[in-house]
Amino acid sequence: MFKAIAATFLAIATSFSILLFSPPPKSYYHSLFISDSLSDNVSISHHLYTLTRRPHVAGSQANAEAAAYVLSTLSSCNMQAHIVSYEVLLTYPASRSLTLTRPPPEPPITFDLKQEIYDGDPYADVANEVLPTSHAYAKSGSVTGPVVYVNYGRLEDYDTLKEMGVNVTGTIVLARYGQIYRGDIVMNAFDAGAIGALVYTDRKDYGGGGGDAKWFPDDKWMPPTGVQVGTVYNGSGDPSTPGWASTQGCERLSVEEVERSGDVPLIPSLPISGADGETILRSIGGQIAKDDWQGSNGAPTYKLGPGPGVVNLNYNGKQVIATIQNVIGVIEGVEEPDRFVILGNHRDAWTFGAVDPNSGTAALLEVAQRLWKLQGIGWKPRRTIIFCNWDAEEYGLTGSTEWVEENRELLASRAVAYLNVDCAVSGAGFHAAATPQLDELLKQAAQQIQDPDNSSQTIYEQWVGSTHSPVIGRLGGAGSDYAAFVQHIGVPAADMLFGGVASVWGLVALRLADEEFLPFDYHSYAFELQKSAKELEDEISDKGITFSHLFKSIKELSEAARKINNQRKEIKEAKGWTSMWRNNHVKVRELNDRLMMAERAFTDCDGLLRRPWYKHLIYAPSRHNDYGSTSFPGINDAIEKAKNLNTVESWHLVQHEVWRVSRAVRHASLVLKGELT
């Protein structure tokens, strides 16, 4: 009896001691984080100016200097910071030329392939450091052939050409950039029989639509000589180390093996300006293209060809094993140091990177400095926060992919979520994409932060607009560094861009790092899966494919989400005097582990058919558009193949893929339930 009374008094005394001497609640620090008192526009402007003073492509000395700046800034924020280097295969242009031969008496044209510098350009002194316009990992070679205009170079565009009797075999295609990933434009051209590809930026899409439109520096539109460069590699990470990290002395594929992988183009390609594209279009005869294939006001009439204009395309690239540098900074968690909330942004740019990516890098450093200020007044994170500044993203998400591949097992067992930002400032408005369990967290964070462009409303109110519900995209495409986290190892993730990002980014990270219960809600996931499955079922309703087992698994996931939400509520309500006992902490930890690991269950060790690096069975890039997001990618790939072959075996493969997804969804529900069968 005496022992019981003594224990009770000890508990009361301990609780009063905690009340008297405990630090402010985490929410107090979160409010400070988004207040004006911690933000510093002068500092963030300095970061952006320093990072974008000169071109800094991956593997260059300028980019190494930018890495040193990021490292220095993170180190000054009272965190452990270091550089992780990888030796990766990169390509640079050695020489290129483009000549158009027109019917007599028109003389041939040799394009100068240069982007003009405007009067008063403050960076004219370093403009010569910009790489000549080219595609990373383009095939070297010299080809000559008549030109065919292929619109955006999508599969459906080639179907249209075939219906109109236009033969692409042996030609050089001219495609306008947009709609799909440029690497898929080149791949689709090869599959159609073309010997080369030119990709230009049509003024209808990027030049303001013609007419009286102005362009940079007077407006946002691309000038006539501007060129959209980028990679044409269709994989992720170093092409010579598929699936493993490019550490020094590692196993490496030969150039021939890389080509046989199917992820690099097998025909030469070149990006060209809108002005050069229009010049070539004027040399093309044949049938007039459809209305929706035409350009803007003032553009020539677009015809299909082939020819009579003939193009000689010459490209020679050099391949090198170059050193890239990821910068990693760590604020160690106090209570759960082995749980990681990861913030990421890439640093490398094809030119100066003012928007993509270094507005994001400046925001990353701003978040780090605000957290440093919070530490100075007593804040300590519950979980570890990791800042990652990636290199060589522009080549193929290389820095992030190599790091994830090297740390796969640790990340798979410890990463809570990955939060990515490339473009922190690019215009008004907030946009987000995420795995569905983060939807509600993103909405709540946006409701707490003022719209930087309109002080009378929150970011959430601007985001919602007149729709009454914000549009949250999904992370199926391979558009940025979230790809390896979501699609390879199954880590919950979000990608954010535009107005007010530093505050939203940091607040989401703080809540993930500090809240006792992870703010995940799998009801959104179940709803999303139900909607996507119904769309697929309707698409092939006449093919005898059964979706009943998939819908049953989704129902189980919804029930598991309801159950774990109730368990979380019960633990919260039971808190009080019992909260000091270890048993309660164990329950919280175990529940959080289920919330964290459920996303991993959507992955399959075998990956997608013919795309084994992509392990996630719910989200992956579209097979013919790397930027496109596809739900149930394995099922979609199988349906596409079955529609082409229309055999019993091909439709049986569709049914198999439906079964695979059904099993993955059921596995996720079992993880959420936390019970062995």
Side-chain angles (χ1 to χ4, degrees), residues 243 340 342 390 400-418 435 437 481-493 525 596-605 607 612-617 619:
F340 306 152
I342 306 170
W390 311 116
S400 59
T401 298
E402 300 310 307
W403 192 74
V404 168
E405 289 175 345
E406 183 171 35
N407 297 283
R408 181 186 294 113
E409 285 70 30
L410 267 181
L411 292 170
S413 63
R414 298 185 178 186
V416 170
Y418 174 73
T435 47
Q437 74 274 68
D481 291 302
Y482 55 77
F485 290 91
V486 176
Q487 298 156 12
H488 192 58
I489 61 172
V491 171
Y525 228 126
M596 181 182 78
M597 296 303 293
E599 186 73 39
R600 315 289 197 269
F602 292 122
T603 63
D604 185 285
C605 60
W613 186 87
Y614 295 101
K615 309 292 186 187
H616 209 286
L617 298 189
Y619 297 116

Side-chain angles (χ1 to χ4, degrees), residues 131 455 522:
L131 286 179
S455 60
Y522 280 86

Side-chain angles (χ1 to χ4, degrees), residues 95-130:
S95 65
R96 78 247 200 279
S97 65
L98 184 66
T99 301
L100 171 66
T101 302
R102 300 176 291 179
E106 297 294 329
I109 297 175
T110 298
F111 298 99
D112 62 15
L113 304 178
K114 291 183 179 179
Q115 302 184 90
E116 293 179 357
I117 299 172
Y118 64 90
D119 292 340
D121 184 349
Y123 296 96
D125 60 323
V126 291
N128 64 333
E129 296 180 20
V130 175

Side-chain angles (χ1 to χ4, degrees), residues 352-413:
F352 295 90
V355 172
D356 181 8
N358 297 128
S359 65
T361 312
L364 183 78
L365 298 179
E366 165 75 2
V367 172
Q369 290 179 320
R370 288 197 206 179
L371 295 186
W372 172 48
K373 293 173 184 176
L374 283 184
Q375 286 179 290
I377 54 175
W379 168 78
K380 295 177 181 179
R382 179 186 185 94
R383 304 178 184 94
T384 295
I385 298 176
I386 303 176
F387 292 85
C388 300
N389 185 230
W390 311 116
D391 203 348
E393 186 268 0
E394 298 289 0
Y395 276 82
L397 316 179
T398 309
S400 59
T401 298
E402 300 310 307
W403 192 74
V404 168
E405 289 175 345
E406 183 171 35
N407 297 283
R408 181 186 294 113
E409 285 70 30
L410 267 181
L411 292 170
S413 63

Side-chain angles (χ1 to χ4, degrees), residues 213-236:
K214 296 180 180 179
W215 49 77
F216 187 83
D218 299 315
D219 207 334
K220 65 181 181 180
W221 303 108
M222 182 173 282
T225 65
V227 179
Q228 212 267 28
V229 301
T231 186
V232 287
Y233 172 48
N234 279 55
S236 292

